[in-house]
Amino acid sequence: MSESQSSLRDKLATGIGKFAGSRFVRSIIDSGYAVIPFTIVGAIFLILTVLPQAFPIPGFAGLYAHTLGKFSNMFTVVYNATMGILSLIFGGQFTYSYAKIYQQEEKINIVPLNALFMMLMAMFITVPEMIYKNGSIQFVQSLKADNIIGGGIQVSASGVTRIGTTGLFTAIVIGWATVQIYRFTIKHNWQIKMPDVVPAGVSNSFSSLIPGFCVAFVVATINLILVLMGTDIFKVMYVPFSFVGNIAGTWWGVLLIVFFIHFLWWFGIHGANIMSSFYTPIALANLAANVKGAHNFFAGDPMNAFIILGGSGSTLLIAWWMAGRAKSTQLREIGKVEAVPALFNINEPFLFGLPVVYNVNLFVPFIGAPMASAIVAYIFHAIGFMPDIKVQQPWPTPIGLGGYLATLSWRGIVIAIVCAIVAFLIWYPFMKRFDLKTYKKEQEEAKQNANA
């Protein structure tokens, strides 16, 4: 690599690193982790409601109807209590993490829990649908079968519509605005200070009074202006959300996501974390939509179910090949170390031990293999062979089982295996060449050491 190329690489890596380390991105990543247990809990109870479809065994549907089927409504309630409030969970964790980062890094008296409560308050200010009619602000009322709105609150079978996956992007914006307003008031000393003898809990509650009022006033004012214009915060946020969501629903949009994940990884930056901060709200919204009958490919966690089997780069089968067939000691030993973790989609030993990071010999397969897996899975879904993803499986779920849980179908197993094989075929010629190159280097070093 020439000096100019090396300098460009370093500058690019530095810029990407700064973005990855920004407060906003770190907080979004925390939020993505926070919703995982809730989506898995929801998935478990969703599976309980669709067991006859997941296991089409003769006689099983009747057995289910007389046993677990009697409690299906309760299973639905639990599912709705997880996926149905996902914007509050995601946005709440984002706000808490964002405020905590400012508290720690700027050393200001922001209380993260108070910021979380302010965000929930602000969120519910925006939830009711309102219109300007007959010279006054009025709540929207509708009793249509597909659009029930009472007192401005739109509800469906899953509960209050706007606090579910529909409100994810709004929750992020509200959380960001809440923290910034809170931070501004504290930095400008807009707070009620109590004597030192007052207990900390009481003092904190009074110190957040003015910031809380400012948050409510700003959010309500913005929403009022939008209502007077014939819209509201949710409808405004739906425009970019739907635009980005539509891109993620295309084959080229999926390939772009996969490309950037691995392009960032090649620089040693956790591309999956960064990109998931953008696509997680979309994937969660699509997952909820699929449960209601939509047909989105990019829903739940298609990455770990079909695209990056073995970890970023889709390295499962090539790691196993390295463990058993590589000539060079380096590749063989790394393959042995990686063989078991790869089964659970963990491949840091492969990325940094081989290494793949900054390795020009493996750049093409590292990016090309998962992109090939993605397009194969997308085609299977487009032609109808792959069922819609309705469950978000735990990301370390082994190959095949992850595909089955995601789609609740044996076809998910077949597609996952086909994707893994396609990825291996992309990897093989490049890894074979790299293995021979490394083996020759090891032989030369062994001769030099023997002659020394």
Side-chain angles (χ1 to χ4, degrees):
M1 184 177 293
S2 68
E3 184 176 343
S4 60
Q5 290 176 322
S6 178
S7 176
L8 178 62
R9 183 200 67 184
D10 292 342
K11 289 180 180 178
L12 184 59
T14 300
I16 296 172
K18 286 182 179 179
F19 175 75
S22 68
R23 294 168 177 141
F24 184 86
V25 171
R26 282 184 283 158
S27 301
I28 288 288
I29 291 171
D30 285 346
S31 304
Y33 289 141
V35 300
I36 289 174
F38 294 95
T39 57
I40 292 175
V41 169
I44 292 171
F45 282 89
L46 176 64
I47 291 173
L48 291 175
T49 65
V50 296
L51 278 176
Q53 294 94 326
F55 298 97
I57 303 171
F60 181 71
L63 176 64
Y64 174 85
H66 290 88
T67 54
L68 288 175
K70 295 182 177 181
F71 307 99
S72 61
N73 285 339
M74 181 55 68
F75 300 152
T76 300
V77 167
V78 177
Y79 174 80
N80 291 340
T82 53
M83 296 296 292
I85 62 168
L86 213 56
S87 67
L88 302 183
I89 299 171
F90 194 97
Q93 179 61 56
F94 168 79
T95 306
Y96 184 90
S97 298
Y98 199 41
K100 189 173 183 179
I101 291 172
Y102 273 113
Q103 179 196 51
Q104 294 174 342
E105 295 184 357
E106 291 192 347
K107 307 298 181 184
I108 57 177
N109 189 29
I110 284 181
V111 181
L113 191 59
N114 287 347
L116 167 59
F117 291 144
M118 291 179 200
M119 174 267 169
L120 294 177
M121 171 192 68
M123 185 71 177
F124 277 97
I125 290 174
T126 67
V127 165
E129 295 184 47
M130 296 179 290
I131 57 174
Y132 183 69
K133 185 178 181 180
N134 299 326
S136 65
I137 299 295
Q138 300 180 15
F139 289 119
V140 172
Q141 307 285 353
S142 176
L143 295 178
K144 295 180 181 179
D146 59 344
N147 188 37
I148 301 174
I149 307 176
I153 305 295
Q154 186 178 63
V155 298
S156 67
S158 58
V160 180
T161 303
R162 286 187 165 186
I163 65 173
T165 52
T166 303
L168 280 168
F169 269 70
T170 304
I172 294 171
V173 173
I174 292 293
W176 174 85
T178 297
V179 173
Q180 293 300 332
I181 295 170
Y182 189 9
R183 172 172 167 257
F184 179 87
T185 59
I186 295 299
K187 291 186 73 172
H188 289 79
N189 207 25
W190 294 3
Q191 57 182 318
I192 299 174
K193 292 186 177 180
M194 304 296 288
D196 293 338
V197 295
V198 176
V202 176
S203 179
N204 285 337
S205 65
F206 274 91
S207 68
S208 62
L209 179 58
I210 294 178
F213 174 82
C214 291
V215 169
F217 179 79
V218 171
V219 172
T221 300
I222 292 173
N223 202 43
L224 173 61
I225 293 171
L226 292 173
V227 169
L228 292 174
M229 295 171 62
T231 183
D232 61 23
I233 290 178
F234 271 87
K235 293 173 184 176
V236 169
M237 288 308 305
Y238 181 75
V239 175
F241 175 76
S242 61
F243 175 74
V244 177
N246 289 336
I247 291 176
T250 64
W251 65 269
W252 57 269
V254 173
L255 291 184
L256 278 176
I257 292 172
V258 176
F259 171 81
F260 281 114
I261 286 174
H262 294 83
F263 181 73
L264 293 171
W265 256 126
W266 193 77
F267 286 96
I269 297 168
H270 204 305
N273 274 352
I274 295 176
M275 291 305 299
S276 66
S277 67
F278 293 100
Y279 70 66
T280 294
I282 296 169
L284 292 173
N286 287 345
L287 181 69
N290 282 358
V291 173
K292 297 177 182 178
H295 302 287
N296 299 298
F297 169 76
F298 203 82
D301 186 10
M303 290 292 180
N304 288 294
F306 303 107
I307 298 174
I308 54 172
L309 299 166
S312 294
S314 195
T315 57
L316 175 64
L317 296 186
I318 200 64
W320 289 355
W321 177 87
M322 286 165 51
R325 303 291 294 176
K327 288 187 176 183
S328 70
T329 302
Q330 177 186 344
L331 268 66
R332 189 167 58 251
E333 292 303 314
I334 290 175
K336 291 178 181 178
V337 171
E338 175 60 21
V340 175
L343 189 61
F344 301 95
N345 296 333
I346 300 170
N347 69 344
E348 273 74 7
F350 185 94
L351 297 178
F352 296 102
L354 194 58
V356 171
V357 173
Y358 290 128
N359 190 335
V360 294
N361 297 284
L362 302 178
F363 177 80
V364 172
F366 181 62
I367 290 182
M371 291 181 72
S373 296
I375 201 64
V376 167
Y378 189 93
I379 290 172
F380 273 124
H381 183 265
I383 64 176
F385 182 79
M386 173 179 160
D388 298 316
I389 296 176
K390 296 182 179 179
V391 172
Q392 181 163 345
Q393 80 289 349
W395 67 265
T397 307
I399 180 176
L401 180 57
Y404 178 81
L405 290 176
T407 60
L408 300 176
S409 170
W410 60 269
R411 296 182 182 184
I413 301 174
V414 175
I415 295 169
I417 293 173
V418 171
C419 287
I421 293 173
V422 169
F424 173 77
L425 294 177
I426 301 293
W427 269 105
Y428 180 75
F430 293 92
M431 189 60 75
K432 181 72 174 177
R433 179 183 177 187
F434 184 62
D435 178 44
L436 292 175
K437 183 178 179 180
T438 306
Y439 177 71
K440 290 179 181 179
K441 184 178 179 181
E442 289 176 350
Q443 294 295 100
E444 292 173 359
E445 290 177 351
K447 289 180 181 179
Q448 292 175 358
N449 292 334
N451 297 329

